[in-house]
């Protein structure tokens, strides 16, 4: 079934139309009747009694394209000559390329950029390896590394299929943080091999962004690399989500007149993001958290904790949360909670369950594409609602964090991205919503706010330098 027309399902229709008054209007009417939304209309050529036009149309799904094409033929008497999928067109040949920073136009240019002049630079780095951060692309380059096991909402689709997402991540790094990034999709799921590969390529990069690696391996990989490398290592699925969630909560608390220390939280979904969100909330001062995975509320009294089959990360979670040892379905434990954070899946409980939450409830339902509870259904029970989607207010999106995080870390030449740097980033994001602009449907900046990355970078760099005693 087709949904709301969206750019992700936009097409270009090359249409042959009669050269007469009203003909284009008939085509437009046919497209609208079939559920399409017209964007650009361009004249390609005029031939005798006909015109050829390229018409950009947004549709609700691939299944709608045939209906739109048929409607043009049947209702307008025009002829569709070609149909181009615009999303696939954007990805044709990939979304990245390498371009030189200095042109090579003369022999002198070549002598300095390459042989013989480059030898002097190589020897300088050989004498002092730290110069590689100044005299090579390390100064501004991050590796985006994945094994393709947890790609968006698609799951384990493999390294090759993950590449369009990794390329997109690199585009975001450049567009929002002016950080050069390069994707490395690895054909292994072995934790030891991934760690070894990251260590082997580290001399090329100023930082490593781990991406779309499934839990619980992602936790071990990040921790080992942080301990064994002297460049920042950051798993964005964990910490990017956590930082932006904390930023949203800081501002939501301002509106609802709460202190972080008093907020009672329920988290569903204890994968990479759920664990990291909980950790940053605890670091920021929240003290009362309960969490649930697919088996229900996590507790030291749960059977898999008692028999030792619960993994180490969730064992930590059980030990630091849920002092009352609650058990069962998360929807049955919303009573007395101030904040629900969903990082799990669609419709895990009826929206009516939210009525048990405290007054001025906050609901961050972040599953994509379908949240745990829809904003429309949550509205009667919650004062503040956030999602991970761009078509609702208060989008909690990692792009608000990671470009600025790495920009600041690279600028300060930080060796790690610390908890203090993450919390500083969250406050920087929250502070970009001015007090006079803060309201229930505006607790977080837009992902297109160009002030975000510089503000985050400045806060992260300042925290890094302060921690280093600079």
């Amino acid at each position: 079934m087709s949904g709301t027309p969206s750019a992700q399902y936009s097409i270009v229709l090359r249409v042959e139309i009669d050269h007469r008054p009203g003909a284009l209007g008939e085509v437009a009417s046919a497209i609208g009747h079939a559920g399409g939304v017209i964007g650009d209309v361009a004249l390609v050529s005029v031939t005798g009694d006909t015109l050829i036009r390229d018409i950009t149309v947004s549709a609700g799904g691939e299944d709608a394209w045939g209906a739109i094409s048929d409607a043009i033929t049947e209702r307008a008497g025009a002829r569709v000559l070609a149909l181009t999928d615009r999303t696939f067109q954007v990805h044709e040949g990939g979304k990245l390329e390498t371009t030189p920073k200095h042109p090579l136009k003369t022999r002198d240019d070549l002598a300095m950029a390459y042989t013989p002049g480059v030898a002097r630079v190589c020897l300088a780095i050989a004498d002092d390896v730290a110069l590689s951060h100044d005299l090579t692309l390390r100064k501004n380059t991050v590796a985006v590394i994945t094994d393709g096991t947890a790609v968006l909402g698609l799951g384990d689709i493999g390294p090759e299929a993950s590449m369009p997402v990794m390329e997109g991540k690199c585009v975001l790094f450049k567009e929002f943080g002016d950080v050069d990034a390069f994707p490395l999709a690895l054909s292994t799921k072995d934790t030891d091999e991934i760690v070894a590969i990251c260590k082997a390529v580290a001399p090329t990069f100023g930082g490593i962004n781990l991406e779309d690696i499934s839990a619980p391996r992602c936790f071990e990989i990040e921790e080992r690399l942080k301990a064994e490398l002297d460049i920042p290592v950051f798993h964005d699925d964990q910490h990017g989500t956590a930082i932006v969630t904390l930023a949203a909560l800081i501002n939501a608390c301002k509106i609802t007149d709460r202190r972080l220390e008093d907020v009672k939280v329920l988290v569903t979904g204890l994968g990479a993001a759920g664990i990291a969100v909980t950790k940053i909330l605890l670091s920021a001062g929240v003290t009362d958290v309960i969490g649930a995975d697919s088996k229900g509320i996590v507790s030291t009294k749960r059977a898999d904790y008692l028999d030792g089959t619960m993994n180490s990360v969730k064992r930590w979670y059980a030990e630091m949360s849920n002092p009352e040892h609650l058990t069962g379905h998360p929807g049955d434990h919303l009573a007395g909670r101030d904040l629900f954070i969903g990082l799990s899946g669609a419709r895990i409980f009826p929206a009516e369950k939210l009525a048990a939450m405290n007054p001025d409830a906050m609901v961050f339902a972040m599953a994509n594409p379908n949240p745990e509870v829809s904003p429309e259904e949550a509205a009667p029970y919650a004062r503040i609602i956030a999602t991970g989607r761009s078509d609702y207010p208060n989008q909690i999106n990692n792009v608000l964090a990671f470009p600025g995080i790495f920009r600041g870390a690279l600028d300060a030449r930080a060796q790690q991205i610390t908890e203090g740097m993450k919390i500083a980033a969250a406050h920087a994001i929250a502070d970009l919503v001015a007090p006079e602009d803060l309201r229930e449907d505006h607790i977080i900046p837009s992902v297109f706010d160009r002030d975000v990355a510089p503000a985050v970078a400045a806060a992260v760099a300042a925290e890094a330098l302060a921690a280093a005693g600079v």
Side-chain angles (χ1 to χ4, degrees):
M1 293 292 291
S2 296
T4 303
S6 164
Q8 68 169 317
Y9 295 117
S10 63
I11 54 177
V12 176
L13 294 167
R14 178 155 290 187
V15 184
E16 186 179 65
I17 306 171
D18 290 343
H19 191 184
R20 59 177 175 79
L24 179 59
E26 292 170 10
V27 171
S29 177
I31 291 170
H33 186 269
V37 175
I38 294 177
D40 185 55
V41 179
L43 179 64
V44 177
S45 65
V46 180
T47 306
D49 296 330
T50 61
L51 304 175
I52 295 178
R53 293 185 182 273
D54 281 347
I55 304 175
T56 302
V57 179
S58 293
E62 291 183 48
D63 57 322
W65 296 346
I68 293 170
S69 182
D70 291 344
I72 291 171
T73 302
E74 294 166 5
R75 294 174 61 90
R79 188 160 66 102
V80 176
L81 303 177
L83 184 154
T84 302
D85 183 334
R86 294 182 68 221
T87 295
F88 272 71
Q89 194 174 45
V90 166
H91 290 261
E92 182 70 33
K95 300 187 291 293
L96 302 171
E97 64 180 7
T98 301
T99 58
K101 294 171 68 174
H102 303 286
L104 299 180
K105 296 182 177 180
T106 68
R107 289 182 180 274
D108 285 352
D109 294 336
L110 186 61
M112 289 186 289
Y114 196 52
T115 185
V118 71
R120 295 176 51 235
V121 182
C122 293
L123 291 173
I125 296 172
D127 288 339
D128 181 2
V129 173
L131 287 175
S132 67
H133 290 277
D134 295 315
L135 299 176
T136 75
L137 54 71
R138 293 190 82 183
K139 183 180 181 69
N140 196 53
T141 305
V142 168
V144 176
I145 296 179
T146 189
D147 63 359
T149 55
V151 180
L152 295 178
L154 304 175
D156 185 353
I157 60 174
E160 292 86 358
S162 76
M163 277 294 288
V165 176
M166 300 309 117
E167 289 182 12
K169 198 79 172 191
C170 295
V171 171
L172 296 175
F173 265 111
K174 188 64 175 179
E175 183 69 22
F176 293 104
D178 196 25
V179 173
D180 296 316
F182 191 83
L184 295 175
L186 310 181
S187 60
T188 178
K189 300 177 186 178
D190 183 85
T191 295
D192 291 337
E193 286 190 1
I194 292 172
V195 170
I197 291 168
C198 290
K199 291 172 63 177
V201 302
T204 304
F205 299 99
I208 291 176
N209 183 80
L210 300 172
E211 191 75 22
D212 293 349
I213 299 173
S214 62
R217 294 175 309 118
C218 60
F219 302 112
E220 181 183 350
I221 291 168
E222 184 190 36
E223 288 305 312
R224 287 175 60 180
L225 289 174
K226 285 170 62 177
E228 297 177 37
L229 292 177
D230 61 356
I231 58 174
V233 178
F234 185 81
H235 185 209
D236 185 50
D237 302 317
Q238 292 185 59
H239 309 300
T241 302
I243 289 164
V244 183
T245 300
L246 176 58
L249 179 57
I250 289 168
N251 281 342
C253 285
K254 294 175 186 176
I255 292 174
T256 60
D257 195 25
R258 287 181 168 101
R259 301 187 315 152
L260 287 175
E261 295 84 350
D262 300 327
V263 174
K264 300 179 185 298
V265 184
L266 167 63
V267 179
T268 61
L270 300 182
I275 298 293
V277 164
T278 300
K279 285 183 176 180
I280 201 171
L281 293 184
L282 294 173
S283 296
V286 174
T287 59
D288 190 336
V289 180
I290 58 175
D293 60 12
S294 59
K295 297 179 181 178
I297 299 293
V298 173
S299 165
T300 55
K301 300 296 185 182
R302 207 169 77 172
D304 54 343
Y305 181 91
L306 295 172
D307 67 17
T309 58
M310 183 181 286
N311 70 52
S312 60
V313 176
K314 287 185 183 176
R315 290 184 71 83
W316 167 86
Y317 203 104
E319 291 160 2
M320 53 62 55
S321 69
N322 192 10
E324 298 178 16
H325 307 299
L326 302 173
T327 60
H329 194 277
D332 297 330
H333 295 289
L334 286 160
R337 297 283 126 185
D338 301 292
L339 170 64
F340 165 65
I341 297 176
L343 292 157
S344 46
R347 299 186 176 278
I348 59 172
F349 51 71
E352 293 77 15
K353 294 267 189 181
L354 297 172
M357 295 180 69
N358 285 338
D360 292 337
M362 302 173 287
V363 172
F364 295 177
M366 295 187 283
N368 255 322
N370 299 310
E372 287 76 6
V373 57
S374 75
E376 294 85 356
E377 292 175 327
Y381 312 106
R383 182 172 177 184
I384 296 175
I385 301 167
T387 73
R389 288 175 47 154
S390 61
D391 52 349
Y392 288 110
N394 298 329
Q395 183 190 16
I396 295 177
N397 191 315
N398 294 13
V399 76
L400 291 167
F402 69 82
I405 289 280
F406 272 99
R407 175 76 279 147
L410 291 170
D411 289 347
R413 200 176 294 178
Q415 295 188 343
Q416 286 198 356
I417 295 171
T418 65
E419 206 66 22
M421 292 159 72
K422 298 170 197 171
I423 291 175
H427 280 281
I429 295 168
D431 289 347
L432 283 168
V433 182
E436 61 270 21
D437 296 326
L438 190 61
R439 57 182 186 272
E440 285 81 355
D441 63 352
H442 188 206
I443 61 171
I444 204 79
S446 164
V447 295
F448 294 106
D449 186 338
R450 296 294 174 158
D451 292 331
V452 173
V456 170
V460 167
E463 174 66 23
L465 293 172
V470 178

